[in-house]
Amino acid sequence: MKNNQIKGFALGAVSACLVMGVAYSTVDASRNITVQDGIRIQMNNTAFVPKDAKGNPVSPFLYNGTTYVPMRPLCEAIGMTVSYDAKTKTVSLTAPNATTPNTGTTPNTGTTPNVGDTTGGAATGTPITDENAKVAALGDAGVTASDAKFEKCELKQENGKSVYEIEFTASGKKYEYQIDATTGTIVKKDNKEDSSSPSSSAKLSESEAKDIASKKAGVSSPKFTKCELGDDHGKAVYEIEFTSGSTKYEYKIDANSGSVISSDKEKEEKEDKDDKD
């Protein structure tokens, strides 16, 4: 199957989910099938290799005329949040700033007004939103939304053209993009080592650090509330917080070796309404 067909399938499948949070349930079943490998994906005219939480490549495949792609890396690449409930066997997809679709003729932007613009994309005549521009930049850089830290996303005029100026850091690099606000194409781009950030010396990604912390805690479906890369006495560390049930966990993970520097957990106290009454 040609690359542009894969690209169209991937973006078409994801765009159907962008306007709402969608949940998919799985059922217990297994079968032996013969599939066609070697399927490639392009995102914004750039090769995209989906990877699992540990950074290992996950290959799409073709079966009976249908292309199957891994849901989590593809959705995270375009800015969606993916979670899995092991008890109900449900995968939940949530688009950033999702709204319900428009029923009229005016296109639905699906996001809040643009960063740096108080009127919003539709009012200024720009067909794409700041979230769309971020997705284009992330896709070109090959960076997932969970690993990126955005520092700037502003709508500006340059040479009579509306463009988004975007800056973000990920894995020790700083990325700078200019995205055409009308077409969504990349006008300019640059990346360099971010020497001012402790992530410049970090070998582990955020997803890898989260995975280490949750496994050390023995938790299969944590709800992460914090994952920040910082400096601890000259050492790059991830500060991670998450909950599972009524227990809150706090971990510090060495961003290079993956070792646990410190950990703590405590039960979250809840008021008993009957006792108060």
Side-chain angles (χ1 to χ4, degrees):
M1 185 173 288
K2 296 181 180 179
N3 288 343
N4 60 345
Q5 290 177 304
I6 301 302
K7 174 186 174 185
F9 169 83
L11 297 183
V14 172
S15 63
C17 302
L18 282 177
V19 295
M20 64 186 74
V22 183
Y24 295 89
S25 296
T26 63
V27 295
D28 290 323
S30 63
R31 67 182 68 179
N32 294 322
I33 61 175
T34 300
V35 302
Q36 179 182 338
D37 294 317
I39 305 301
R40 294 179 294 176
I41 299 175
Q42 280 194 344
M43 187 171 292
N44 297 312
N45 297 319
T46 301
F48 174 73
V49 180
K51 297 180 180 180
D52 61 20
K54 296 182 179 180
N56 300 315
V58 185
S59 301
F61 61 86
L62 185 67
Y63 174 65
N64 277 356
T66 300
T67 305
Y68 294 82
V69 295
M71 181 179 293
R72 180 182 293 277
L74 188 63
C75 290
E76 288 182 343
I78 55 91
M80 299 183 75
T81 300
V82 183
S83 61
Y84 177 66
D85 189 327
K87 293 182 179 180
T88 61
K89 296 184 178 179
T90 300
V91 179
S92 296
L93 311 179
T94 306
N97 303 318
T99 63
T100 54
N102 277 354
T103 56
T105 58
T106 303
N108 183 11
T109 61
T111 64
T112 54
N114 300 315
V115 176
D117 172 31
T118 58
T119 59
T124 58
T126 54
I128 73 167
T129 67
D130 58 330
E131 293 294 340
N132 298 144
K134 287 179 180 180
V135 168
L138 290 172
D140 181 78
V143 175
T144 62
S146 60
D147 289 337
K149 182 178 181 181
F150 283 91
E151 299 176 347
K152 179 182 180 181
C153 184
E154 296 181 1
L155 182 61
K156 292 188 174 182
Q157 292 289 321
E158 181 157 320
N159 298 322
K161 181 184 296 185
S162 295
V163 297
Y164 285 102
E165 290 191 353
I166 299 174
E167 296 180 8
F168 62 92
T169 57
S171 302
K173 284 188 176 182
K174 182 171 183 177
Y175 297 83
E176 297 179 357
Y177 278 84
Q178 277 192 357
I179 306 294
D180 190 305
T182 302
T183 65
T185 57
I186 297 171
V187 179
K188 293 180 182 179
K189 64 178 180 179
D190 187 29
N191 70 78
K192 57 188 176 182
E193 294 294 325
D194 183 18
S195 58
S196 64
S197 170
S199 62
S200 59
S201 61
K203 295 180 180 179
L204 297 179
S205 66
E206 285 190 8
S207 59
E208 289 173 325
K210 288 179 179 179
D211 188 54
I212 291 173
S214 59
K215 285 183 177 179
K216 289 290 183 181
V219 174
S220 59
S221 301
K223 181 179 180 181
F224 290 95
T225 56
K226 177 181 179 181
C227 184
E228 295 180 359
L229 181 60
D231 185 275
D232 187 4
H233 300 94
K235 180 183 295 185
V237 299
Y238 282 103
E239 294 185 3
I240 301 173
E241 296 180 5
F242 57 93
T243 60
S244 178
S246 60
T247 304
K248 179 180 179 181
Y249 298 83
E250 296 181 2
Y251 275 81
K252 275 190 178 182
I253 305 294
D254 189 302
N256 289 293
S257 67
S259 61
V260 177
I261 298 174
S262 64
S263 64
D264 187 29
K265 69 176 183 178
E266 60 181 3
K267 289 283 185 180
E268 294 182 327
E269 296 183 0
K270 297 182 178 180
E271 293 184 358
D272 189 334
K273 183 178 180 181
D274 292 333
D275 291 343
K276 291 186 68 178
D277 293 342

